Amino acid sequence: MGEGLARLLVFTAAGYLAIGGVFAIPFALRWAGRLDSAAKAGTWGFRALIVPGAVLLWPLLVARLRTAR
């Protein structure tokens, strides 16, 4: 039971991070400007810095994008 639970946790975490990785790139390049007007003029360095956070916080960011105008 312990090994099966560990595998489930690893696969779940890997799936979560994979979805976040797919989401983070377009978010950093295009969609961040929808949530914050200052992000529209963000440099490439700024965009590279927000990618790790977008990978981890993608469910929250998806919800915020849905409610943004």
Side-chain angles (χ1 to χ4, degrees):
M1 173 89 172
E3 183 180 340
L5 180 59
R7 284 181 190 262
L8 177 64
L9 289 175
V10 168
F11 287 134
T12 302
Y16 182 89
L17 292 176
I19 294 169
V22 170
F23 169 81
I25 301 302
F27 175 79
L29 295 177
R30 290 188 222 124
W31 301 330
R34 291 185 191 175
L35 298 181
D36 187 357
S37 60
K40 287 182 184 179
T43 64
W44 286 103
F46 165 76
R47 295 180 190 284
L49 285 174
I50 66 171
V51 167
V55 169
L56 294 175
L57 298 174
W58 68 266
L60 174 66
L61 295 172
V62 167
R64 298 269 323 260
L65 282 171
R66 286 186 175 181
T67 60
R69 296 182 340 148

